Amino acid sequence: MSIPNDLLDPGLDGDRLTPDDEADALLRGAVDLHQHPGPSPFPRRMSILDAARDADSLGFRAIVAKSHHHSMVTDILALRPEGLAGLGVQVFGGIALNRTVGGLNPYAVELALRMGGRMVWFPTLSSAAHIDHHREHDTGFPTSEVELRPNEVIRITDGEGTVLPEVRDILDVIAGEDAVLTCGHLGVDEAHILIDAAQQAGVRRIVVNHPCFVVGAPVEQAAEWARRGVFIEHCAVMYFGRPERRRDLGELLAFIRAAGPEQTVLSSDSGQKVNPLPVTLYRRAVRALLDAGVPEADIVKMTGGNAVGLLFP
């Protein structure tokens, strides 16, 4: 199934100002768990404040600012006294466990969460699956504008497949703070191991990011995780972004049917210099799902209700 041409006006955000009262009404109270504003070593087209103002303009309840390289929790705290004051949208951050934060670093996780962060992404750029995929395919990832050391793989197990002590320490911190664990860009096998260990540690809020990008999880695997209470996140930028990189809408609908709208979260994963803004992607996503016959109540769950349950204890 392809995206209707009338959703793809010229320019990155050509349809952003096109009235769509039906779609916009469903986005009131939406939550974007996965945005990429600046500051970042990667080129970004919006700041945290820009992202917050855009989300607020459509009545979003919350957004989460993510960097692959550093915790954005302190960036957000610095904006709260003035820049974010007066906005109805809440802005949260978290930490991605890549080399630039010390990798599997429970100290960094504890600090980020106790200063107000809500999300912990296990290795993204530093996962074996990401590095292998990036080597073999055009991932669309930008080039850093800051000179950084070469990336190195971070694994969550030792040579015998045993979960590392520092991973268990991190899981205990996440459970204690009742925060959200996401599997980042871990491949299927590592994600499965992490989910098992997390649930054993008492982690209640678990998300698998974009299963069909880098992670390599088929529909059946996503459905199995969903039956265990894991939320399956799909990124609007993959289906409603630049035409040359867009995946088939039928794929998204198949995942939604298999996992169920109750365990599905739609995020933007946008903010990159070359991609449409998150609010544009959400409007396109809601319009396309409505036109595909997805019930309004299910769209509200996937764009807001499920993420509210994850983000707010």
Side-chain angles (χ1 to χ4, degrees):
M1 184 180 300
S2 60
I3 309 302
N5 287 333
D6 60 354
L7 293 179
L8 302 171
D9 293 350
L12 286 177
D13 296 286
D15 65 335
R16 185 175 171 214
L17 300 178
T18 303
D20 191 337
D21 293 341
E22 186 180 18
D24 290 354
L26 298 183
L27 288 173
R28 299 200 66 81
V31 173
D32 189 353
L33 289 181
H34 193 160
Q35 288 197 5
H36 285 289
S40 170
F42 287 161
R44 302 303 190 202
R45 65 172 300 198
M46 63 183 190
S47 68
I48 295 171
L49 188 54
D50 293 331
R53 287 170 173 162
D54 260 12
D56 190 61
S57 73
L58 284 186
F60 274 54
R61 177 169 177 178
I63 63 172
V64 177
K66 175 184 177 182
S67 169
H68 291 290
H69 298 90
H70 74 289
S71 166
M72 281 192 154
V73 174
T74 50
D75 300 79
I76 294 164
L77 289 174
L79 288 170
R80 281 186 178 165
E82 296 182 7
L84 296 176
L87 296 181
V89 66
Q90 292 182 262
V91 183
F92 296 95
I95 187 167
L97 302 179
N98 295 311
R99 290 289 178 189
T100 47
V101 300
L104 301 171
N105 184 349
Y107 297 92
V109 171
E110 190 172 71
L111 179 64
L113 296 183
R114 291 187 178 174
M115 292 190 72
R118 290 294 300 142
M119 311 263 307
V120 179
W121 295 272
F122 268 72
T124 58
L125 305 185
S126 296
S127 76
H130 180 96
I131 290 174
D132 289 346
H133 190 87
H134 190 73
R135 184 184 301 119
E136 298 172 9
H137 303 89
D138 172 18
T139 60
F141 266 74
T143 300
S144 175
E145 296 178 319
V146 176
E147 186 175 355
L148 299 172
R149 296 186 184 197
N151 202 3
E152 295 181 5
V153 171
I154 296 174
R155 299 188 185 276
I156 66 167
T157 58
D158 62 18
E160 297 180 353
T162 301
V163 175
L164 295 170
E166 52 266 42
V167 171
R168 295 199 181 277
D169 192 347
I170 290 166
L171 295 178
D172 287 342
V173 173
I174 295 171
E177 299 297 322
D178 202 14
V180 183
L181 176 152
T182 91
C183 296
H185 292 187
L186 297 181
V188 172
D189 291 343
E190 280 194 291
H192 200 73
I193 291 169
L194 181 63
I195 290 167
D196 285 345
Q199 292 188 327
Q200 291 167 12
V203 176
R204 299 192 307 120
R205 306 164 193 273
I206 303 175
V207 176
V208 169
N209 300 118
H210 44 64
C212 49
F213 175 65
V214 177
V215 176
V219 169
E220 297 77 15
Q221 179 62 76
E224 179 190 336
W225 284 331
R227 287 192 291 270
R228 297 178 56 183
V230 175
F231 286 84
I232 311 301
E233 178 209 61
H234 297 282
C235 300
V237 73
M238 293 169 50
Y239 299 95
F240 311 103
R242 289 176 286 158
E244 69 274 14
R245 302 199 67 85
R246 198 177 314 116
R247 301 175 74 97
D248 190 86
L249 181 59
E251 176 185 76
L252 173 60
L253 295 173
F255 271 94
I256 292 172
R257 286 192 295 268
E262 298 80 8
Q263 294 300 131
T264 299
V265 172
L266 294 179
S267 300
S268 72
D269 195 6
S270 189
Q272 302 86 357
K273 200 86 166 179
V274 297
N275 284 326
L277 291 168
V279 293
T280 300
L281 292 167
Y282 267 92
R283 296 181 92 185
R284 291 179 180 178
V286 171
R287 172 46 52 200
L289 292 173
L290 285 170
D291 291 348
V294 177
E296 289 186 0
D298 290 346
I299 294 174
V300 170
K301 288 175 188 174
M302 294 187 291
T303 58
N306 295 335
V308 167
L310 283 164
L311 200 56
F312 295 94

